[in-house]
Amino acid sequence: MKSRNFASKTKNGRNSESHQARLNGRVVTDEDKVNVMEKNGPLTMKDIAREFGISVATVSRALKDSPRISEERRKAIQTYAREHNFYPNAVGEALRHSKVMPLRVIGIIVPEITHYYFSSILTGIEEAASARGYNIMVSLSHEKYEREVRICENFHRNKVCGVIVSQAKDTRNYDHYQKLIDAGIPIVFYDRICTGVNASRVVVDDYMGAYNAVTHLIETGCQRVAFYGGPMQLEISKNRYNGYKDALLKHGLAVDESIVRICDNRAEAESITPEILALDHRPDGFFAVNDDTAIGILYTVKRAGFKVPDDISICGFTNGQRAVACDPMLTTIEQRGFLVGEEAAEILIDKVEGLSPLEKVEKRVVRTRLIIRGTTR
């Protein structure tokens, strides 16, 4: 088999001299290259891979002078990168190739810090990172896509060595994540994962958590269980809804969409629950996506004159400090956020230090458990 002449031609059939290149019949200058970068943004490994018709992993190896890539191909890719002013993530490269590491900063994106679950994850990340000599840079998206984009741009400018993120509720475009990956910055998602980006993630077993919670409600006497969940574009919301639905079907109960609501905070729960209780055939059980929502239900149900759990049972999902500060104390699913944070940090740091390949996607699931307290029979 004849080897391809990578030194002389690229995917588009242009020889290497053309990469010093010609634009409208004249030689491309350094100024032209700067203008192109300002217009289209810095060249990424993905751009180089597209130019040569190869994978991003192959480009990465060639730029690191890996012997796994032929010398001919290495030189062609390195020349192209140099001529087009490509600079890989210097911090990440230093971390992977040196025992003396100049900067060990991990960027963290948290939707809201007020939630016990997110704060416990952050604690797990910080402790695992600190144990391996890393600092963290924490930014809040406040559930806003636009803030999330700006945070990613800021992380890139500040040369973080990796990013750990839970996406905002209204995020539907994922280009800002892909740009980080294309620049050689590893990403690990936690809790709310992004299915539109091929990146590592750590989640709890949302489906089984919901399934076990609703099964407990049914097996303790509930025949009509309402569901309060998050926005359905989030994978976490879909998984919990599917667990709820399958538990009903497994026990011969129909799914009634009239008692399924998009509601994931206490204020909304207190607003929505009165109309649910006013139904002719009201629920005798509620399963909520988090503890705050469940406590909003509890408060409203008690205010309406119903006894918990004699008349209505309630189950949440988190097992935060508020679950034991209400009356009666809340039955809930424990998410083990600290462990989620630890796992996410370990995956990321292993990639930064070259212990795990950047292109390897790791998917870890942390098991939940049902904590039975006073809001269920």
Side-chain angles (χ1 to χ4, degrees):
M1 181 181 294
K2 294 183 179 179
S3 62
R4 181 178 176 185
N5 187 352
F6 284 92
S8 62
K9 288 191 177 183
T10 66
K11 178 184 175 185
N12 294 328
R14 297 178 293 184
N15 59 39
S16 59
E17 291 182 357
S18 71
H19 291 315
Q20 286 176 334
R22 295 186 174 276
L23 183 65
N24 295 329
R26 64 181 177 82
V27 175
V28 175
T29 66
D30 288 340
E31 184 179 353
D32 292 323
K33 294 173 185 175
V34 171
N35 289 339
V36 169
M37 289 179 67
E38 287 178 349
K39 181 178 180 180
N40 299 322
L43 188 75
T44 68
M45 280 197 283
K46 187 174 182 180
D47 296 326
I48 299 174
R50 187 183 299 112
E51 179 70 19
F52 284 87
I54 57 180
S55 70
V56 171
T58 299
V59 173
S60 177
R61 293 189 186 104
L63 294 175
K64 295 173 187 173
D65 221 24
S66 169
R68 295 174 60 183
I69 310 300
S70 71
E71 182 178 0
E72 188 178 36
R73 180 180 289 193
R74 268 184 281 152
K75 286 183 177 178
I77 294 170
Q78 289 169 4
T79 298
Y80 182 82
R82 186 168 56 253
E83 290 174 351
H84 289 76
N85 297 321
F86 171 77
Y87 299 100
N89 180 350
V91 174
E93 291 301 302
L95 290 173
R96 283 189 283 273
H97 294 286
S98 174
K99 296 297 182 182
V100 181
M101 302 182 185
L103 181 63
R104 298 179 173 220
V105 178
I106 298 170
I108 316 293
I109 303 180
V110 183
E112 290 289 353
I113 201 66
T114 54
H115 290 296
Y116 171 83
Y117 181 56
F118 287 132
S119 63
S120 64
I121 290 175
L122 188 57
T123 302
I125 293 173
E126 197 281 330
E127 289 204 12
S130 178
R132 294 181 65 171
Y134 289 77
N135 295 313
I136 62 174
M137 180 188 296
V138 182
S139 292
L140 303 181
S141 69
H142 293 301
E143 304 286 14
K144 300 296 182 184
Y145 163 75
E146 293 80 7
R147 284 183 59 92
E148 201 174 73
V149 172
R150 289 197 298 272
I151 291 167
C152 286
E153 291 171 349
N154 184 53
F155 283 166
H156 195 183
R157 283 194 301 271
N158 282 281
K159 299 294 184 182
V160 298
C161 59
V163 175
I164 301 176
V165 56
S166 180
Q167 73 173 66
K169 290 178 187 176
D170 65 351
T171 296
R172 292 175 174 81
N173 182 296
Y174 313 114
D175 290 348
H176 51 302
Y177 296 137
Q178 192 61 53
K179 286 178 182 177
L180 291 177
I181 294 171
D182 292 344
I185 301 172
I187 292 181
V188 177
F189 286 94
Y190 66 91
D191 191 51
R192 301 178 193 162
I193 64 172
C194 174
T195 57
V197 174
N198 195 30
S200 297
R201 70 280 308 268
V202 181
V203 297
V204 300
D205 55 345
D206 293 298
Y207 172 88
M208 283 307 302
Y211 181 90
N212 291 336
V214 178
T215 295
H216 170 68
L217 289 170
I218 295 169
E219 291 180 348
T220 53
C222 295
Q223 293 294 304
R224 186 164 165 79
V225 181
F227 174 87
Y228 285 17
M232 283 300 172
Q233 77 268 15
L234 297 175
E235 200 69 16
I236 182 176
S237 301
K238 295 176 187 175
N239 289 338
R240 292 183 190 179
Y241 174 74
N242 287 335
Y244 158 81
K245 179 178 67 175
D246 287 352
L248 293 179
L249 297 176
K250 176 72 173 179
H251 292 83
L253 300 176
V255 178
D256 184 351
E257 295 295 336
S258 72
I259 54 174
V260 172
R261 292 287 188 274
I262 302 302
C263 172
D264 62 0
N265 60 70
R266 177 170 179 167
E268 290 180 356
E270 291 181 13
S271 173
I272 290 171
T273 304
E275 68 182 66
I276 299 292
L277 295 176
L279 294 173
D280 291 337
H281 189 23
R282 65 164 177 79
D284 55 5
F286 286 82
F287 169 64
V289 69
N290 57 46
D291 286 356
D292 281 352
T293 303
I295 291 169
I297 296 168
L298 172 62
Y299 176 81
T300 307
V301 165
K302 289 172 63 179
R303 188 172 58 183
F306 295 100
K307 293 181 180 179
V308 178
D310 296 344
D311 300 323
I312 296 175
S313 293
I314 302 166
C315 184
F317 205 115
T318 300
N319 195 34
Q321 296 171 344
R322 296 174 187 175
V324 294
C326 55
D327 182 27
M329 291 191 288
L330 186 67
T331 293
T332 187
I333 297 294
E334 184 177 46
Q335 286 183 275
R336 303 171 71 193
F338 185 89
L339 181 56
V340 171
E342 278 189 321
E343 293 281 341
E346 292 294 340
I347 291 173
L348 186 81
I349 295 171
D350 282 352
K351 290 185 180 299
V352 168
E353 295 184 353
L355 301 176
S356 174
L358 283 175
E359 62 270 20
K360 180 182 179 183
V361 174
E362 295 196 42
K363 301 176 182 179
R364 296 187 189 176
V365 179
V366 174
R367 295 189 181 280
T368 57
R369 62 173 179 166
L370 176 66
I371 308 296
I372 301 173
R373 298 195 181 98
T375 57
T376 57
R377 295 188 281 274

